[in-house]
mmCIF file of all heavy atoms in Angstrom:
data_model
loop_
_atom_site.group_PDB
_atom_site.id
_atom_site.type_symbol
_atom_site.label_atom_id
_atom_site.label_comp_id
_atom_site.label_asym_id
_atom_site.label_seq_id
_atom_site.Cartn_x
_atom_site.Cartn_y
_atom_site.Cartn_z
ATOM 1 N N ALA A 420 -2.059 -50.996 56.399
ATOM 2 C CA ALA A 420 -0.840 -50.375 55.803
ATOM 3 C C ALA A 420 0.215 -51.379 55.531
ATOM 4 O O ALA A 420 0.768 -51.442 54.428
ATOM 5 C CB ALA A 420 -0.369 -49.284 56.671
ATOM 6 N N GLU A 421 0.472 -52.236 56.523
ATOM 7 C CA GLU A 421 1.433 -53.232 56.469
ATOM 8 C C GLU A 421 1.161 -54.221 55.325
ATOM 9 O O GLU A 421 2.036 -54.505 54.523
ATOM 10 C CB GLU A 421 1.526 -53.936 57.795
ATOM 11 C CG GLU A 421 2.269 -55.322 57.790
ATOM 12 C CD GLU A 421 3.673 -55.233 57.219
ATOM 13 O OE1 GLU A 421 4.338 -54.155 57.288
ATOM 14 O OE2 GLU A 421 4.120 -56.239 56.620
ATOM 15 N N ALA A 422 -0.092 -54.636 55.244
ATOM 16 C CA ALA A 422 -0.483 -55.581 54.228
ATOM 17 C C ALA A 422 -0.263 -54.997 52.743
ATOM 18 O O ALA A 422 0.270 -55.565 51.874
ATOM 19 C CB ALA A 422 -1.922 -55.983 54.423
ATOM 20 N N VAL A 423 -0.735 -53.735 52.644
ATOM 21 C CA VAL A 423 -0.669 -53.205 51.258
ATOM 22 C C VAL A 423 0.724 -52.757 50.897
ATOM 23 O O VAL A 423 1.167 -53.171 49.839
ATOM 24 C CB VAL A 423 -1.565 -51.885 51.214
ATOM 25 C CG1 VAL A 423 -1.388 -51.130 49.908
ATOM 26 C CG2 VAL A 423 -3.077 -52.304 51.340
ATOM 27 N N LEU A 424 1.372 -52.014 51.780
ATOM 28 C CA LEU A 424 2.737 -51.552 51.460
ATOM 29 C C LEU A 424 3.726 -52.742 51.412
ATOM 30 O O LEU A 424 4.601 -52.790 50.621
ATOM 31 C CB LEU A 424 3.201 -50.504 52.481
ATOM 32 C CG LEU A 424 2.281 -49.275 52.564
ATOM 33 C CD1 LEU A 424 2.804 -48.275 53.641
ATOM 34 C CD2 LEU A 424 2.191 -48.568 51.237
ATOM 35 N N GLY A 425 3.507 -53.719 52.303
ATOM 36 C CA GLY A 425 4.338 -54.920 52.334
ATOM 37 C C GLY A 425 4.196 -55.699 51.017
ATOM 38 O O GLY A 425 5.238 -56.191 50.523
ATOM 39 N N ALA A 426 3.082 -55.649 50.443
ATOM 40 C CA ALA A 426 2.896 -56.358 49.149
ATOM 41 C C ALA A 426 3.753 -55.755 48.090
ATOM 42 O O ALA A 426 4.356 -56.395 47.306
ATOM 43 C CB ALA A 426 1.427 -56.331 48.730
ATOM 44 N N GLY A 427 3.801 -54.435 48.128
ATOM 45 C CA GLY A 427 4.654 -53.706 47.170
ATOM 46 C C GLY A 427 6.109 -54.095 47.385
ATOM 47 O O GLY A 427 6.815 -54.328 46.382
ATOM 48 N N GLU A 428 6.524 -54.149 48.606
ATOM 49 C CA GLU A 428 7.918 -54.482 48.916
ATOM 50 C C GLU A 428 8.223 -55.876 48.448
ATOM 51 O O GLU A 428 9.279 -56.072 47.741
ATOM 52 C CB GLU A 428 8.173 -54.376 50.392
ATOM 53 C CG GLU A 428 8.433 -52.924 50.840
ATOM 54 C CD GLU A 428 8.427 -52.756 52.366
ATOM 55 O OE1 GLU A 428 8.743 -53.724 53.016
ATOM 56 O OE2 GLU A 428 8.040 -51.663 52.783
ATOM 57 N N VAL A 429 7.408 -56.800 48.713
ATOM 58 C CA VAL A 429 7.546 -58.146 48.215
ATOM 59 C C VAL A 429 7.739 -58.210 46.717
ATOM 60 O O VAL A 429 8.636 -58.867 46.251
ATOM 61 C CB VAL A 429 6.400 -58.997 48.643
ATOM 62 C CG1 VAL A 429 6.451 -60.393 47.956
ATOM 63 C CG2 VAL A 429 6.300 -59.166 50.129
ATOM 64 N N LEU A 430 6.953 -57.447 46.004
ATOM 65 C CA LEU A 430 7.021 -57.425 44.536
ATOM 66 C C LEU A 430 8.010 -56.508 43.968
ATOM 67 O O LEU A 430 8.178 -56.374 42.710
ATOM 68 C CB LEU A 430 5.661 -57.203 43.959
ATOM 69 C CG LEU A 430 4.547 -58.219 44.341
ATOM 70 C CD1 LEU A 430 3.180 -57.681 43.986
ATOM 71 C CD2 LEU A 430 4.836 -59.552 43.700
ATOM 72 N N GLY A 431 8.629 -55.756 44.860
ATOM 73 C CA GLY A 431 9.690 -54.792 44.396
ATOM 74 C C GLY A 431 9.036 -53.637 43.603
ATOM 75 O O GLY A 431 9.567 -53.153 42.670
ATOM 76 N N THR A 432 7.882 -53.176 44.032
ATOM 77 C CA THR A 432 7.187 -52.105 43.307
ATOM 78 C C THR A 432 6.350 -51.265 44.300
ATOM 79 O O THR A 432 6.328 -51.584 45.494
ATOM 80 C CB THR A 432 6.289 -52.613 42.231
ATOM 81 O OG1 THR A 432 5.728 -51.557 41.416
ATOM 82 C CG2 THR A 432 5.155 -53.481 42.732
ATOM 83 N N LYS A 433 5.689 -50.198 43.824
ATOM 84 C CA LYS A 433 4.876 -49.417 44.631
ATOM 85 C C LYS A 433 3.461 -49.948 44.564
ATOM 86 O O LYS A 433 2.883 -50.139 43.469
ATOM 87 C CB LYS A 433 4.896 -47.925 44.100
ATOM 88 C CG LYS A 433 6.204 -47.280 44.102
ATOM 89 C CD LYS A 433 6.618 -46.889 45.494
ATOM 90 C CE LYS A 433 7.946 -46.058 45.458
ATOM 91 N NZ LYS A 433 8.407 -45.684 46.802
ATOM 92 N N SER A 434 2.858 -50.120 45.684
ATOM 93 C CA SER A 434 1.574 -50.721 45.657
ATOM 94 C C SER A 434 0.439 -49.746 46.181
ATOM 95 O O SER A 434 -0.760 -50.069 45.957
ATOM 96 C CB SER A 434 1.531 -51.906 46.641
ATOM 97 O OG SER A 434 1.982 -51.503 47.920
ATOM 98 N N GLN A 435 0.789 -48.640 46.690
ATOM 99 C CA GLN A 435 -0.219 -47.762 47.298
ATOM 100 C C GLN A 435 -1.202 -47.202 46.285
ATOM 101 O O GLN A 435 -2.373 -47.173 46.523
ATOM 102 C CB GLN A 435 0.492 -46.685 48.138
ATOM 103 C CG GLN A 435 -0.554 -45.910 49.081
ATOM 104 C CD GLN A 435 -0.764 -44.508 48.587
ATOM 105 O OE1 GLN A 435 -1.826 -44.009 48.834
ATOM 106 N NE2 GLN A 435 0.175 -43.915 47.922
ATOM 107 N N LEU A 436 -0.598 -46.689 45.224
ATOM 108 C CA LEU A 436 -1.406 -46.043 44.195
ATOM 109 C C LEU A 436 -2.439 -46.908 43.530
ATOM 110 O O LEU A 436 -3.598 -46.545 43.442
ATOM 111 C CB LEU A 436 -0.518 -45.386 43.134
ATOM 112 C CG LEU A 436 -0.607 -43.908 43.002
ATOM 113 C CD1 LEU A 436 -1.021 -43.139 44.302
ATOM 114 C CD2 LEU A 436 0.751 -43.315 42.562
ATOM 115 N N PRO A 437 -2.044 -48.136 43.041
ATOM 116 C CA PRO A 437 -3.027 -49.014 42.476
ATOM 117 C C PRO A 437 -4.203 -49.332 43.405
ATOM 118 O O PRO A 437 -5.380 -49.341 43.067
ATOM 119 C CB PRO A 437 -2.258 -50.254 42.091
ATOM 120 C CG PRO A 437 -0.844 -49.807 41.918
ATOM 121 C CD PRO A 437 -0.714 -48.666 42.903
ATOM 122 N N VAL A 438 -3.790 -49.619 44.700
ATOM 123 C CA VAL A 438 -4.856 -49.893 45.635
ATOM 124 C C VAL A 438 -5.793 -48.737 45.889
ATOM 125 O O VAL A 438 -6.974 -48.860 45.966
ATOM 126 C CB VAL A 438 -4.231 -50.393 46.971
ATOM 127 C CG1 VAL A 438 -5.288 -50.569 48.044
ATOM 128 C CG2 VAL A 438 -3.435 -51.674 46.710
ATOM 129 N N ARG A 439 -5.106 -47.592 45.986
ATOM 130 C CA ARG A 439 -5.941 -46.293 46.180
ATOM 131 C C ARG A 439 -6.819 -46.195 44.987
ATOM 132 O O ARG A 439 -8.063 -45.833 45.212
ATOM 133 C CB ARG A 439 -4.959 -45.150 46.226
ATOM 134 C CG ARG A 439 -5.638 -43.797 46.299
ATOM 135 C CD ARG A 439 -4.626 -42.651 46.361
ATOM 136 N NE ARG A 439 -3.991 -42.603 47.624
ATOM 137 C CZ ARG A 439 -4.527 -42.049 48.706
ATOM 138 N NH1 ARG A 439 -5.736 -41.476 48.669
ATOM 139 N NH2 ARG A 439 -3.888 -42.022 49.838
ATOM 140 N N MET A 440 -6.362 -46.358 43.785
ATOM 141 C CA MET A 440 -7.236 -46.167 42.616
ATOM 142 C C MET A 440 -8.422 -47.150 42.635
ATOM 143 O O MET A 440 -9.566 -46.849 42.385
ATOM 144 C CB MET A 440 -6.333 -46.456 41.360
ATOM 145 C CG MET A 440 -6.932 -45.932 40.115
ATOM 146 S SD MET A 440 -6.870 -44.123 40.005
ATOM 147 C CE MET A 440 -8.071 -43.808 38.803
ATOM 148 N N ALA A 441 -8.104 -48.414 43.034
ATOM 149 C CA ALA A 441 -9.161 -49.437 42.997
ATOM 150 C C ALA A 441 -10.220 -49.123 44.114
ATOM 151 O O ALA A 441 -11.382 -49.307 43.851
ATOM 152 C CB ALA A 441 -8.515 -50.795 43.293
ATOM 153 N N VAL A 442 -9.730 -48.714 45.269
ATOM 154 C CA VAL A 442 -10.670 -48.550 46.378
ATOM 155 C C VAL A 442 -11.346 -47.258 46.410
ATOM 156 O O VAL A 442 -12.558 -47.138 46.800
ATOM 157 C CB VAL A 442 -9.855 -48.828 47.736
ATOM 158 C CG1 VAL A 442 -10.851 -48.578 48.882
ATOM 159 C CG2 VAL A 442 -9.318 -50.235 47.774
ATOM 160 N N THR A 443 -10.645 -46.185 46.028
ATOM 161 C CA THR A 443 -11.237 -44.806 46.139
ATOM 162 C C THR A 443 -11.717 -44.251 44.808
ATOM 163 O O THR A 443 -12.461 -43.289 44.844
ATOM 164 C CB THR A 443 -10.201 -43.836 46.744
ATOM 165 O OG1 THR A 443 -9.257 -43.477 45.753
ATOM 166 C CG2 THR A 443 -9.509 -44.373 47.978
ATOM 167 N N GLY A 444 -11.236 -44.836 43.740
ATOM 168 C CA GLY A 444 -11.633 -44.265 42.440
ATOM 169 C C GLY A 444 -10.780 -43.072 41.972
ATOM 170 O O GLY A 444 -11.056 -42.464 40.944
ATOM 171 N N ARG A 445 -9.853 -42.738 42.788
ATOM 172 C CA ARG A 445 -9.041 -41.517 42.529
ATOM 173 C C ARG A 445 -7.585 -41.849 42.772
ATOM 174 O O ARG A 445 -7.195 -42.738 43.570
ATOM 175 C CB ARG A 445 -9.410 -40.312 43.334
ATOM 176 C CG ARG A 445 -10.871 -39.847 42.986
ATOM 177 C CD ARG A 445 -11.112 -38.475 43.724
ATOM 178 N NE ARG A 445 -12.418 -38.012 43.473
ATOM 179 C CZ ARG A 445 -13.542 -38.379 44.102
ATOM 180 N NH1 ARG A 445 -13.396 -39.336 45.047
ATOM 181 N NH2 ARG A 445 -14.645 -37.927 43.813
#
Side-chain angles (χ1 to χ4, degrees):
Chain A
E421 162 57 26
V423 172
L424 300 179
E428 278 166 32
V429 169
L430 296 170
T432 184
K433 300 282 189 185
S434 55
Q435 193 252 149
L436 241 26
V438 174
R439 173 180 290 279
M440 196 73 199
V442 177
T443 75
R445 294 188 181 83

